[in-house]
């Protein structure tokens, strides 16, 4: 699996590169800003991109803008956005603009090679991954709207979906049978009024509803 | 002193009036009033009212014109005594010499009132010509050679000025006096009219009531002198009598004009005085200007106050006089206190300015002090806002430094440890894992510290997003209905500061926050089940820096409600 890394801080860029190699990914290129990243993406066509949210010139949301651009041009390329900020807004914007194969994680979280590898694999499989700290904060928020109707268990399932876990992953974590998890997910879709379409898409919309609910 | 002068004036006027009436009654054939009692009364009334008007004029500041009018009134009454009707020789002689003195004095008075005193050479020359020809030539010189007994008036009292009996010379002198006097009167009339035409509307309004009948009087005098051109002396034929009656009426008109102007000035003063009282009662800023604009009849009038750094308006804002206006500085103790910006020519009269300075003194002081206070308040507010903004900028910079510096380096360090852990022997790996945990905890704390310094959501997404993010960290904070729109950074920062500080202060109580827009204000409403709102000075300071307001209520015991109003237009 080929990955391109983009971060304006050399130390982090190199560190990420080594972590990725260690985790068994092929680092297909390293970029110091969004423009270089986009150029490298066109040139090398990677499977995944790991990008810092704040890069030159304005140090605000260059990473998100680049993710959107990549998603528009190459929907099959997964994007993992790294950030120091615990802001659900950023995660929400990422998923709205890049609804599949996207992830938002705290930068320090990926110092654990296993976490990084897991997140990238899940993104590669088409899921979306949201940082667990953001998810737990959202769970703690008082709910308004359709999410109010979810049961405690259904909310737990939805939170795990937001973190990017597959049905099997959710089974493992909640010690439930696959059938039960399936039922919960169906209930969630029903209560959030999500009709049958592609199941990936429905998962993303459910997570977006969850993110927006704050 | 003034009372004595007044008494003497009344006595002299009364005596002269009585003497003139008496002379007319005794010799109706020689009198300009003829034998009509009404006309006699009219003549006396004209003299008396002129003297009365003169005292009014003198008291209201026109000293020079007042004296001239008083003398003219006396001369007018005395002129009736140059007939056989006069009982004594001195009165007869006075009447003879001052027969044409009244027009000279009135002409002089009109020149004083029409222009700015007698500053021009033309005015002085015309006035001198009036006296020389009408009093000197026609009065005194011709009297020197006049003997009434030999010139058809055997019943006349003696002419005390008679030096020689030379009828031919007397006739010649008198004729020259009539002709040159006519020229002088005509010149005076022309000059007065020209001055009036060129005067500002304010001066015209003020001097008009005196000048219009005065000019009519001079015109009638000129007509009589023209009528006497061939005759060579002042007579009392029916034409003379008719013109004299007209003159008396014109003199009454002058007196009435003076009284009218005086009454108008009095009314204006009364309104100004009332204005001061009203102003002291209800000190609405700008009321003084409105009232002055109303009273002076200039809707565009502006009133600026003196301050240590130039003129300021009533709200304390620095101002410069608008272009195309004239300005009048109001002065107290040699210090300018206020500036009136008005129509050109409105306040050319120094008396009107003095009147304003005198009457609105209290109101002016009151309003100036308020304007200065507002100016200082604005200064204070600006500097407070500057201090707050500088503080925010500093915190923002610190947040960015933390993010770009320490947070990045620690993250890189965490990567390195994470990598080393993978390759280390099991025992070392376990220690490295603990080290990695500590680094991650440090990063968590740093993240919270950075957020506390300056929430990045505030600048990027606004108040509602920042408060949401704050709510994740303060589970007791319940925010509802925060407006999603963006406001000026200072407003957002202050609103955030207010909510964050109160949420901090009231922890662990549940704090309910709502906010909304009310016209041009952002209203923040916070409630908590607490008895103690705590020390709100710092918060009040921040709110005050934006000209906002903070109120604390206790809706029920054990409940506190803080409302903050921030201008956000």
């Amino acid at each position: 699996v080929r990955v391109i890394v983009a971060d304006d801080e050399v130390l982090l860029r190199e560190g990420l590169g080594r972590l990725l190699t260690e985790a068994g990914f092929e680092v297909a290129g390293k970029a110091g800003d969004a423009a270089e990243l986009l150029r490298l993406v066109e040139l090398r066509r990677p499977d995944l991109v790991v990008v810092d949210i704040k890069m030159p010139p304005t140090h605000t949301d260059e990473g998100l803008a680049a993710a959107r651009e990549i998603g528009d041009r190459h929907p099959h390329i997964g994007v993992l956005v790294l950030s120091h900020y615990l802001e659900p807004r950023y995660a929400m914007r990422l998923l709205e603009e890049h609804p599949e194969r996207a992830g938002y994680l705290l930068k320090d979280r990926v110092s654990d090679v296993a976490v990084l590898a897991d997140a990238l694999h899940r993104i590669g499989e088409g899921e979306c991954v949201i940082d667990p700290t953001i998810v737990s904060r959202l769970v703690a928020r008082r709910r308004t709207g359709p999410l109010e109707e979810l049961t405690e268990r259904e909310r737990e399932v939805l939170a795990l979906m937001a973190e990017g876990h597959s049905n099997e992953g959710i089974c493992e974590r909640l010690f439930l049978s696959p059938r039960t998890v399936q039922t919960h997910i169906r209930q969630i879709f029903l209560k959030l009024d999500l009709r049958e379409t592609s199941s990936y898409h429905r998962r993303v919309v459910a997570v977006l509803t969850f993110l927006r609910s704050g | 002193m003034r009372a004595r002068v007044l008494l003497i004036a009344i006595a002299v006027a009364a005596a002269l009036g009585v003497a003139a009436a008496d002379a007319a009654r005794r010799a109706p054939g020689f009198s300009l009033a003829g034998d009509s009692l009404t006309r006699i009364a009219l003549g006396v009334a004209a003299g008396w009212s002129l003297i009365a008007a003169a005292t009014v004029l003198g008291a209201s500041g026109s000293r020079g014109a007042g004296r001239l009018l008083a003398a003219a009134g006396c001369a007018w009454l005395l002129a009736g005594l140059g007939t056989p009707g006069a009982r004594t020789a001195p009165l007869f002689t006075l009447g003879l010499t001052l027969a044409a003195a009244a027009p000279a004095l009135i002409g002089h008075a009109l020149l004083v009132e029409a222009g700015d005193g007698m500053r021009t050479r033309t005015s002085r020359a015309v006035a001198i010509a009036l006296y020389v020809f009408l009093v000197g030539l026609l009065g005194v010189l011709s009297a020197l050679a006049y003997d009434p007994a030999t010139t058809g008036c055997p019943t006349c009292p003696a002419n005390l000025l008679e030096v020689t009996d030379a009828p031919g010379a007397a006739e010649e002198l008198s004729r020259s006096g009539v002709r040159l006097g006519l020229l002088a009167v005509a010149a005076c009339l022309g000059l007065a009219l020209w001055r009036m035409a060129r005067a500002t509307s304010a001066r015209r309004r003020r001097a008009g009531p005196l000048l219009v009948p005065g000019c009519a009087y001079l015109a009638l005098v000129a007509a009589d002198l023209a009528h006497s051109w061939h005759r060579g002396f002042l007579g009392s034929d029916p034409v003379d009598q008719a013109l004299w009656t007209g003159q008396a009426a014109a003199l009454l008109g002058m007196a009435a004009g003076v009284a009218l102007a005086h009454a108008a000035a009095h009314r204006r003063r009364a309104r100004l005085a009332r204005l001061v009282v009203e102003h002291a009662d209800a000190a609405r800023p700008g009321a003084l200007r409105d009232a002055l604009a109303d009273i002076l009849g200039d809707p565009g009038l502006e009133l600026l106050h003196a301050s240590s750094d130039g003129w300021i308006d009533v709200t304390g804002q620095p101002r410069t006089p608008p272009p195309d206006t004239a300005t009048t500085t109001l002065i107290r103790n040699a210090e300018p206190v206020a500036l009136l910006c008005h129509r050109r020519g409105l306040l050319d009269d120094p008396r009107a300015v003095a009147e304003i300075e005198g009457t609105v003194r209290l109101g002016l002081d009151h309003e100036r002090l308020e304007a200065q206070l507002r100016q200082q308040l604005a200064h204070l507010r600006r500097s407070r806002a500057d201090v707050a903004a500088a503080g925010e900028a500093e915190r923002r910079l610190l947040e960015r430094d933390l993010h770009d510096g320490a947070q990045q380096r620690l993250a890189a360090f965490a990567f390195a440890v994470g990598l080393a852990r993978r390759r280390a022997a099991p025992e070392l790996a376990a220690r490295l894992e603990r080290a990695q945990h500590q680094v991650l905890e440090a990063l968590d704390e740093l993240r919270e510290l950075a957020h506390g310094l300056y929430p990045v959501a505030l600048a990027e997404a606004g108040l509602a997003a920042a408060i949401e993010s704050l709510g994740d960290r303060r589970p007791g904070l319940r925010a509802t209905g925060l407006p999603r729109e963006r406001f000026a950074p200072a407003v957002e920062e202050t609103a955030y500061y207010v909510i964050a500080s109160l949420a901090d202060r009231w922890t662990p109580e549940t704090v309910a926050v709502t906010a909304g827009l009310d016209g041009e204000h952002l209203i923040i409403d916070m409630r908590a089940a607490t008895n103690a709102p705590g020390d709100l000075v710092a918060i009040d300071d921040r709110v005050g820096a934006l000209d906002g307001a903070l109120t604390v209520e206790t809706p029920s015991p054990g409940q506190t409600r803080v409302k903050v109003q921030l201008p956000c237009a």
Side-chain angles (χ1 to χ4, degrees):
Chain A
V1 182
R2 302 166 68 242
V3 184
I4 289 179
V5 179
D7 196 313
D8 56 315
E9 184 66 46
V10 186
L11 270 176
L12 286 167
R13 193 161 65 223
E14 297 304 322
L16 264 177
R18 265 187 234 124
L19 284 170
L20 286 166
T21 315
E22 183 70 27
F25 293 93
E26 181 196 333
V27 177
K30 290 173 191 162
D33 59 41
E36 197 182 351
L37 169 66
L38 293 174
R39 210 164 43 244
L40 282 176
V41 166
E42 291 304 317
L43 217 61
R44 314 251 166 99
R45 299 297 166 95
D47 301 299
L48 288 162
V49 165
V50 180
V51 58
D52 183 15
I53 190 168
K54 300 205 169 188
M55 285 191 296
T58 66
H59 291 277
T60 53
D61 58 355
E62 281 79 4
L64 287 178
R68 176 188 199 150
E69 187 114 6
I70 293 168
D72 286 351
R73 287 196 216 159
H74 311 287
H76 61 279
I77 297 181
V79 176
L80 173 60
V81 175
L82 297 182
S83 159
H84 280 301
Y85 296 108
L86 277 171
E87 296 285 342
R89 264 169 337 106
Y90 287 143
M92 194 170 86
R93 191 176 140 199
L94 175 68
L95 291 200
E96 275 172 346
E97 295 176 354
H98 195 299
E100 284 177 26
R101 298 169 197 272
Y104 182 94
L105 288 181
L106 280 181
K107 209 175 244 182
D108 36 305
R109 182 117 18 230
V110 300
S111 69
D112 189 329
V113 178
V115 171
L116 176 63
D118 182 52
L120 286 176
H121 281 133
R122 276 189 274 138
I123 291 169
E125 283 161 17
E127 311 214 0
C128 50
V129 177
I130 303 298
D131 194 278
T133 313
I134 292 180
V135 171
S136 67
R137 288 203 168 162
L138 287 173
V139 171
R141 283 187 184 178
R142 284 205 318 175
R143 297 290 157 207
T144 51
L147 284 173
E148 259 178 324
E149 293 169 30
L150 298 188
T151 63
E152 203 59 45
R153 196 21 83 85
E154 284 161 0
R155 215 168 286 167
E156 278 178 295
V157 172
L158 180 56
L160 287 171
M161 278 166 66
E163 285 176 31
H165 293 285
S166 60
N167 288 11
E168 297 81 59
I170 296 171
C171 291
E172 278 172 33
R173 275 163 197 261
L174 298 181
F175 306 107
L176 295 172
S177 72
R179 275 183 74 88
T180 319
V181 170
Q182 284 273 330
T183 315
H184 284 317
I185 292 176
R186 261 204 309 277
Q187 278 299 312
I188 292 169
F189 289 165
L190 204 68
K191 285 179 178 173
L192 298 187
D193 201 19
L194 302 172
R195 311 255 164 248
E196 288 284 350
T197 49
S198 98
S199 74
Y200 273 149
H201 194 66
R202 278 205 296 178
R203 282 179 92 95
V204 174
V205 174
V207 170
L208 268 175
T209 313
F210 176 72
L211 287 174
R212 274 201 203 103
S213 65
Chain B
M1 181 68 198
R2 276 202 56 185
R4 245 173 67 194
V5 171
L6 204 64
L7 273 177
I8 292 170
I10 290 172
V12 169
L16 288 177
V18 170
D22 174 59
R25 290 294 294 146
R26 275 158 49 88
F30 292 87
S31 168
L32 281 160
D35 53 3
S36 154
L37 263 180
T38 322
R39 294 233 301 259
I40 293 172
L42 183 70
V44 173
W48 280 352
S49 58
L50 209 54
I51 293 168
T55 59
V56 168
L57 206 57
S60 69
S62 292
R63 271 266 165 81
R67 284 195 191 123
L68 289 169
L69 281 195
C74 293
W76 167 263
L77 291 174
L78 278 169
L81 293 171
T83 68
R87 282 185 191 270
T88 64
L91 281 179
F92 174 71
T93 312
L94 264 177
L96 214 55
T97 48
L98 297 179
L105 289 160
I106 284 175
H108 186 179
L110 295 189
L111 290 180
V112 169
E113 283 293 290
D116 264 336
M118 299 293 290
R119 277 180 218 149
T120 65
R121 202 172 289 175
T122 327
S123 306
R124 280 198 295 270
V126 168
I128 289 168
L130 283 172
Y131 289 118
V132 168
F133 300 142
L134 293 178
V135 183
L137 201 55
L138 191 57
V140 180
L141 282 180
S142 41
L144 291 178
Y146 174 62
D147 184 353
T150 59
T151 333
C153 183
T155 54
C156 281
N159 173 10
L160 299 179
L161 278 184
E162 184 185 341
V163 177
T164 165
D165 180 16
E171 199 178 313
E172 241 358 271
L173 285 168
S174 168
R175 190 185 308 279
S176 315
V178 164
R179 292 181 176 180
L180 291 170
L182 172 60
L183 294 180
V185 168
C188 177
L189 183 58
L191 187 61
L193 287 173
W194 185 66
R195 282 271 161 76
M196 277 287 278
R198 299 237 338 216
T200 59
S201 59
R203 174 168 278 281
R204 264 207 295 277
R205 222 183 11 255
R206 198 178 54 75
L210 178 69
L211 280 166
V212 170
C215 287
Y217 169 78
L218 281 189
L220 290 167
V221 169
D224 192 37
L225 289 172
H227 174 65
S228 311
W229 184 275
H230 291 294
R231 191 170 61 193
F233 59 91
L234 298 175
S236 55
D237 65 23
V239 175
D240 291 317
Q241 286 183 357
L243 287 170
W244 179 87
T245 311
Q247 289 169 18
L251 291 182
L252 279 172
M254 282 176 75
V258 169
L260 268 179
H262 181 72
H266 184 76
R267 247 195 335 270
R268 196 168 66 183
R269 257 198 308 277
R271 283 167 74 191
L272 280 172
R274 198 168 57 236
L275 156 76
V276 175
V277 174
E278 279 170 8
H279 196 68
D281 278 351
R284 177 174 64 80
L288 194 58
R289 184 222 78 92
D290 294 351
L292 280 174
D294 185 36
I295 290 166
L296 296 175
D298 179 5
L301 180 119
E302 293 208 40
L303 177 64
L304 304 183
H305 297 281
S307 83
S308 50
D309 37 345
W311 300 113
I312 52 175
D313 66 12
V314 69
T315 66
Q317 295 295 315
R319 285 285 306 275
T320 50
D324 295 330
T325 57
T327 58
T328 302
T329 313
L330 302 186
I331 296 192
R332 165 106 39 83
N333 303 329
E335 293 276 336
V337 290
L339 187 72
L340 285 171
C341 310
H342 52 81
R343 238 183 10 233
R344 290 190 193 289
L346 185 72
L347 290 175
D348 282 359
D349 182 2
R351 268 179 287 165
V353 178
E355 209 162 79
I356 292 172
E357 278 169 352
T359 11
V360 302
R361 167 178 294 205
L362 258 179
L364 208 56
D365 278 349
H366 182 76
E367 200 172 282
R368 186 180 67 256
L369 289 177
E370 264 190 22
Q372 287 172 348
L373 204 63
R374 282 199 193 88
Q375 185 193 29
Q376 284 161 9
L377 254 180
H379 279 321
L380 200 65
R381 229 172 245 145
R382 256 200 305 280
S383 60
R384 278 206 295 184
D386 286 348
V387 168
E392 282 301 319
E394 193 67 32
R395 292 163 79 99
R396 216 163 156 173
L397 210 63
L398 271 174
E399 189 275 336
R400 186 170 286 182
D401 282 352
L402 268 186
H403 178 270
D404 295 345
Q407 279 181 298
Q408 295 282 58
R409 278 168 191 283
L410 271 181
F413 181 59
F415 288 3
V417 176
L419 209 58
R421 212 180 106 194
R422 301 271 296 184
R423 295 178 177 169
E427 199 194 330
L428 183 59
R431 285 167 69 180
L432 282 173
E433 191 181 351
R434 282 199 298 279
Q436 192 181 12
H437 270 295
Q438 284 182 358
V439 176
L440 294 187
E441 272 170 27
L443 268 167
D444 272 341
E445 284 173 15
L446 214 50
R447 186 166 19 248
E448 288 314 301
L449 180 64
H451 184 272
L453 277 173
Y454 194 90
V456 68
L458 187 59
E460 289 182 4
L463 182 65
I467 295 300
E468 245 158 40
S469 179
L470 181 71
D472 290 340
R473 293 163 165 87
R474 305 262 190 299
L477 184 66
R478 302 257 184 276
T480 46
L482 296 180
R484 288 272 152 194
E485 53 262 72
R486 299 301 305 262
F487 305 100
V491 174
E492 289 183 340
E493 282 162 4
T494 304
Y496 182 84
Y497 174 84
V498 168
I499 296 171
S501 330
L502 281 180
D504 259 359
R505 201 159 299 186
W506 290 344
T507 302
E509 297 299 334
T510 298
V511 180
V513 185
T514 60
L517 273 174
D518 176 17
E520 295 178 339
H521 286 90
L522 174 63
I523 314 278
I524 301 165
D525 189 344
M526 297 185 72
R527 296 158 193 260
T530 174
N531 271 322
D535 183 9
L536 300 177
V537 171
I539 297 175
D540 197 24
D541 253 14
R542 283 293 295 267
V543 171
L546 289 191
D547 209 1
L550 178 144
T551 49
V552 183
E553 291 170 24
T554 309
S556 56
Q559 291 277 327
T560 298
R561 181 179 187 187
V562 170
K563 255 182 152 176
V564 166
Q565 203 177 2
L566 293 174
C568 59

